[in-house]
Amino acid sequence: ALEGMVCLSVRRAVLLFTSTMATRSQALTLDGAVPGVVPGAMRTFLERRVSAAIAAGSSGPSATSLLHGRLEEMAIHTAAPALIEDLAAAAPSGVGLSAWLHQTTLQAVVAIEHSATLSAGCAAGELLLLDAVADNTERLARGEHVYKVINGHHRELRQRGEAAKEDEVLRSYAEAATYVGTRSWLRQGIDWCAAQARTFFREGGGAKLARRELMKHSHATIGAPLTAETQEWVLRAADVGVGPREEEPIRLLDVGACGTLFEGYEGLETTALDLCPQASNPNVHQCDFLELGIGDAASSPVVEPNDDFAAGCLRSLPAGSFDVVVFSLVLSYLPDPAQRGAMMAKARQLLPTPHTCERQLEAARAHLTAKPGGAPVGGAAGGGADANEMRWRRGLLLVVDTFSVDRSVRTWQEAPYLQEWMAAVESLGFVFLRHTTLARSHALAFTTAPLEQAELDALPSREPPEMRMRREQRGEWQ
């Protein structure tokens, strides 16, 4: 059924594409081009563009980085002239050749850049550019279908109060989620998340953030910077206490896991959950994250055995029990902006909270007064490590999602919907760290903000903020 729907969507998309190109071509002439003749400058441009795509498809760089290069310096691949010539010969009669050739070549280029198979086939002369166009159209149709399957399952869950139990519906959802997990550009987002966790907890990123926050607090409260001795103590204390000890793993929660994508990353201990994981996967728990219970910090996870899911159904997790929570290609599939905000609020409860800057400075001053120059944790300084960790421990929230959230941009300041997401997440007790534009997705990193206990206790009762997307505002894929 899935394959039949995809094929039907592909046929419709191809017909629509061909009709649209013909209409545009009739209305356009480029540089006064004569019908049936490809201008020399355009031919050279298209040959170089195809050559660049073949190179990108074979070596793996993203299309974004490729386009930032100098196309005029690209050597023309030996197969490119024949590919352009064959495409020109296949142009429909009655259309403006230049416009049709330009648009169709760019469609093919998108597919070739992201496929080593297409790149190799075109380079060897075994595939035509029209083959690449068909592959790209099928990929787009498959992506639309996958979105509708996953989004529809979430929508039905919220409307009916429970997920559909029909085997075919569950199987379609699991297949769609697994397909998403196979995309190479999704792996780039997973790599990014693992790198953020390593930098923050193992390479001093969290400690440096703590020092910056305390410096800012000192200037705001007493109008002067911290002493060099206090800065040094704070940096050492935060470096030890901001995350797990060196011998302990970084505890990561993968929400909406498309399989076990974080396997193989050294130093990570991953708990994976999904609304409907593959039944045979023993490492991904079934869980509706919005319905997940949060126990107190001393409680244990609650997992119920289930005949349909090998890993069981996850019902509850202890508060503050993870160092990192990841949402990779999850939020854009939710049908309601408020549900995305509720997901962020739930994640906040599962991450640790550092004490306020004032309490951290009190600890630093007290320790330095008692033991000048002493080490911040254990050893010669005395004192327990546990008390120190309570002052510094914090968590990471990592969000990776497609350009359906907002358009591809160099910086988040150019993206209004990303700014809305950042403001919504920060209102829940997070601090924005960074935004990175990946090959086909946005990546956002946040850390938990220092809060008083009363502020932290009030977060679950707050109305979740809305997190809108560019695609839904434009009415796409509804």
Side-chain angles (χ1 to χ4, degrees), residues 210-232:
R211 182 174 63 177
R212 288 198 303 271
E213 289 177 336
L214 290 177
M215 288 287 288
K216 183 177 180 180
H217 177 79
S218 180
H219 278 287
T221 54
I222 65 174
L226 300 175
T227 66
E229 185 182 31
T230 303
Q231 288 189 53
E232 181 183 358

Side-chain angles (χ1 to χ4, degrees), residues 401-477:
D401 226 311
T402 64
F403 296 146
S404 61
V405 175
D406 214 326
R407 61 193 178 90
S408 174
V409 293
R410 291 180 181 272
T411 66
W412 58 267
Q413 290 96 334
E414 303 170 15
Y417 291 102
L418 280 185
Q419 293 178 42
E420 183 177 303
W421 278 34
M422 293 171 190
V425 174
E426 286 197 314
S427 74
L428 296 169
F430 286 99
V431 175
F432 171 64
L433 295 179
R434 66 185 51 85
H435 161 258
T436 303
T437 301
L438 303 177
R440 294 178 60 187
S441 58
H442 293 291
L444 303 169
F446 302 85
T447 187
T448 48
L451 295 176
E452 293 286 1
Q453 189 61 45
E455 297 175 292
L456 185 62
D457 293 341
L459 286 177
S461 61
R462 290 182 52 187
E463 190 75 19
E466 291 195 350
M467 298 171 64
R468 301 177 303 155
M469 300 194 308
R470 177 173 177 263
R471 180 182 63 208
E472 63 194 5
Q473 299 303 308
R474 295 176 61 183
E476 299 176 11
W477 289 8

Side-chain angles (χ1 to χ4, degrees), residues 2-248:
L2 178 62
E3 293 178 354
M5 294 176 67
V6 170
C7 290
L8 180 59
S9 297
V10 169
R11 289 195 294 271
R12 289 175 176 171
V14 170
L15 288 173
L16 177 60
F17 170 75
T18 303
S19 174
T20 302
M21 290 303 100
T23 301
R24 290 180 178 178
S25 300
Q26 290 170 358
L28 293 174
T29 57
L30 301 183
D31 300 325
V34 179
V37 177
V38 182
M42 170 171 280
R43 180 185 295 275
T44 301
F45 166 78
L46 295 179
E47 289 175 355
R48 285 178 173 160
R49 193 66 188 86
V50 169
S51 300
I54 291 174
S58 62
S59 60
S62 70
T64 301
S65 62
L66 171 67
L67 289 174
H68 289 166
R70 296 178 62 84
L71 192 62
E72 62 269 22
E73 297 176 359
M74 173 62 63
I76 295 177
H77 192 280
T78 55
L83 289 170
I84 297 299
E85 194 66 36
D86 289 341
L87 184 61
S93 60
V95 303
L97 177 62
S98 294
W100 182 88
L101 190 62
H102 181 263
Q103 294 285 349
T104 307
T105 300
L106 294 185
Q107 285 282 323
V109 157
V110 171
I112 296 170
E113 285 173 340
H114 293 91
S115 171
T117 301
L118 288 176
S119 173
C122 290
E126 298 170 355
L127 295 174
L128 302 176
L129 293 184
L130 283 178
D131 296 319
V133 170
D135 184 273
N136 187 56
T137 305
E138 180 177 355
R139 180 182 58 83
L140 293 174
R142 180 70 182 271
E144 178 178 349
H145 174 72
V146 165
Y147 170 80
K148 288 183 175 179
V149 168
I150 298 177
N151 177 271
H153 194 63
H154 280 284
R155 190 180 299 276
E156 184 172 4
L157 173 64
R158 308 308 162 203
Q159 291 174 347
R160 292 174 43 175
E162 61 176 2
K165 298 297 193 298
E166 294 83 357
D167 289 343
E168 185 62 30
V169 174
L170 294 176
R171 185 163 52 251
S172 294
Y173 176 90
E175 289 175 354
T178 302
Y179 169 78
V180 171
T182 65
R183 310 307 292 166
S184 59
W185 55 271
L186 180 138
R187 171 58 63 185
Q188 186 184 29
I190 298 300
D191 290 341
W192 181 87
C193 290
Q196 296 305 306
R198 183 173 59 252
T199 299
F200 192 82
F201 293 117
R202 301 302 192 206
E203 299 175 5
K208 293 174 184 175
L209 172 65
R211 182 174 63 177
R212 288 198 303 271
E213 289 177 336
L214 290 177
M215 288 287 288
K216 183 177 180 180
H217 177 79
S218 180
H219 278 287
T221 54
I222 65 174
L226 300 175
T227 66
E229 185 182 31
T230 303
Q231 288 189 53
E232 181 183 358
W233 189 92
V234 164
L235 195 59
R236 286 185 292 162
D239 191 46
V240 174
V242 74
R245 294 183 176 90
E246 194 66 35
E247 66 273 14
E248 298 174 338

Side-chain angles (χ1 to χ4, degrees), residues 316-365:
S316 178
L317 286 170
S321 55
F322 289 91
D323 301 302
V324 185
V325 177
V326 172
F327 293 88
S328 177
L329 271 64
V330 174
L331 301 182
S332 61
Y333 288 101
L334 294 174
D336 182 69
Q339 291 172 7
R340 299 176 196 124
M343 284 265 198
M344 301 296 94
K346 182 74 59 109
R348 183 62 180 83
Q349 294 177 264
L350 292 168
L351 293 168
T353 300
H355 282 174
T356 61
C357 291
E358 186 59 40
R359 295 188 65 181
Q360 291 173 355
L361 281 178
E362 288 174 1
R365 291 166 182 148

